[in-house]
Amino acid sequence: MKAFVFPGQGAQFVGMGKDLYENSSLAKELFEKANDILGYRITDIMFNGTDEDLRQTKVTQPAVFLHSVISALCMGEQAQPEMTAGHSLGEFSALVVAGALTFEDGLKLVYARAMAMQKACEATPSTMAAIIALPDEKVEEVCASVNKEGEVCVPANFNCPGQIVISGSILAIEKACELMKAAGAKRALPLKVGGAFHSPLMNPAKVELEAAINATEFHTPKCPVYQNVDALPHTDPEEIKKNLVAQLTASVRWTQTVKNMIADGATDFTECGPGAVLQGLIKKIDATVPAHGIQ
């Protein structure tokens, strides 16, 4: 079975999507539609901006979404996955390609999510860190011990065995990194991010995102969409909506998602969007299943 997967924030690069825009009339039409919806020419920033320009939250998330969705849609008849999943932001791309959301509605929700998250980040200084070569259970144990001291520290992304990202207040992440190293982590690396994504510190953004999601029409997807919060396949629009809201403050269970997709019959993974991060993670989760970019 063919599985399509979609990357999240951090996969962006200057020049992304330019070849699609120049070589596909469909891509050009969709990019121009996006410029109109957003009210600014995101294509100018994507194609010719600077890394700093692309790192603006109001740009990053829509840019990665657009590159991912348009890449998949430009495959034409080949763009018929039998299951989809996306990492964090990528879940919105997965829902559009599966037919649960229109392109326009998906973009509007991604923009609303980006702006709500930006506000939450500005309200409470916070950060994230990557923990390398420590078992999931140990990471969870350390996070729990830091939480007991009154600070927020949670596992945010279970990316693959031996790679977990933690999220929380700046003091909590600094303390947790020290404890992770003492517990045997090969590395504990603070990340250059604007806030504590997938943690309780994103609660303020939940209210705005939930309102936007509830005002949007969701359809039954053409294929199951494996969602981050429980790593399970979903086709019911109401369940999908609830999981999208919950995702803002819950862990991204990517390792389990990939394992479940394989157990349910996935024999080939195609990453749609910028970069190759998910291909690398999938190979670390199960090296026997092919994982590649759009071919």
Side-chain angles (χ1 to χ4, degrees):
M1 292 175 74
K2 285 196 301 182
F4 279 19
V5 292
F6 301 86
Q9 196 165 338
Q12 68 275 3
F13 63 89
V14 173
M16 60 191 284
K18 190 174 182 182
D19 55 337
L20 285 166
Y21 184 95
E22 291 175 346
N23 295 303
S24 163
S25 57
L26 172 62
K28 185 173 184 178
E29 179 189 330
L30 291 172
F31 274 123
E32 288 299 342
K33 189 176 282 187
N35 287 334
D36 291 341
I37 290 169
L38 294 171
Y40 68 96
R41 291 194 62 78
I42 192 170
T43 48
D44 290 349
I45 302 172
M46 290 172 68
F47 304 164
N48 304 305
T50 64
D51 287 333
E52 195 60 39
D53 292 334
L54 259 185
R55 272 199 291 268
Q56 296 175 72
T57 301
K58 73 170 188 175
V59 176
T60 311
Q61 294 194 27
V64 172
F65 167 85
L66 288 171
H67 188 282
S68 301
V69 171
I70 293 172
S71 295
L73 296 181
C74 284
M75 292 173 71
E77 288 181 9
Q78 289 178 287
Q80 300 294 329
E82 291 158 284
M83 54 178 78
T84 68
H87 191 288
S88 188
L89 159 71
E91 193 159 280
F92 288 84
S93 308
L95 287 165
V96 170
V97 173
L101 279 169
T102 64
F103 172 80
E104 294 84 354
D105 284 343
L107 177 58
K108 288 173 188 173
L109 284 180
V110 164
Y111 189 68
R113 179 182 188 266
M115 300 311 288
M117 288 172 74
Q118 180 65 36
K119 276 192 226 167
C121 292
E122 289 166 0
T124 308
S126 52
T127 191
M128 303 174 82
I131 310 303
I132 309 299
L134 205 61
D136 293 5
E137 301 75 21
K138 193 65 191 175
V139 173
E140 290 175 305
E141 185 185 308
V142 170
C143 286
S145 72
V146 174
N147 273 329
K148 281 180 186 169
E149 297 174 16
E151 294 287 345
V152 173
C153 181
V154 296
N157 304 336
F158 291 91
N159 284 335
C160 68
Q163 188 192 123
I164 299 177
V165 174
I166 61 172
S167 186
S169 62
I170 291 171
L171 278 175
I173 297 303
E174 286 173 355
K175 176 70 174 170
C177 284
E178 290 171 19
L179 294 172
M180 299 286 183
K181 286 175 188 171
K186 190 183 286 184
R187 300 174 86 184
L189 303 168
L191 301 177
K192 291 180 181 177
V193 293
F197 305 142
H198 301 289
S199 85
L201 295 176
M202 285 293 111
N203 263 319
K206 237 179 175 176
V207 180
E208 284 185 46
L209 182 63
E210 186 167 20
I213 284 172
N214 287 337
T216 301
E217 186 177 3
F218 279 67
H219 311 277
T220 301
K222 295 174 287 188
C223 65
V225 179
Y226 286 70
Q227 292 193 271
N228 292 173
V229 293
D230 58 9
L232 296 174
H234 292 276
T235 54
D236 177 73
E238 290 308 311
E239 281 181 13
I240 288 170
K241 287 161 77 169
K242 283 177 192 166
N243 289 338
L244 268 186
V245 175
Q247 190 223 66
L248 262 190
T249 54
S251 303
V252 173
R253 302 190 173 278
W254 190 251
T255 300
Q256 199 56 52
T257 295
V258 172
K259 286 182 175 178
N260 288 348
M261 293 173 89
I262 293 168
D264 291 345
T267 53
D268 183 86
F269 285 88
T270 300
E271 181 171 8
C272 307
V277 170
L278 298 185
Q279 296 163 57
L281 296 181
I282 290 164
K283 285 167 186 172
K284 287 175 182 171
I285 295 165
D286 189 331
T288 66
V289 180
H292 48 82
I294 289 174
Q295 295 175 319

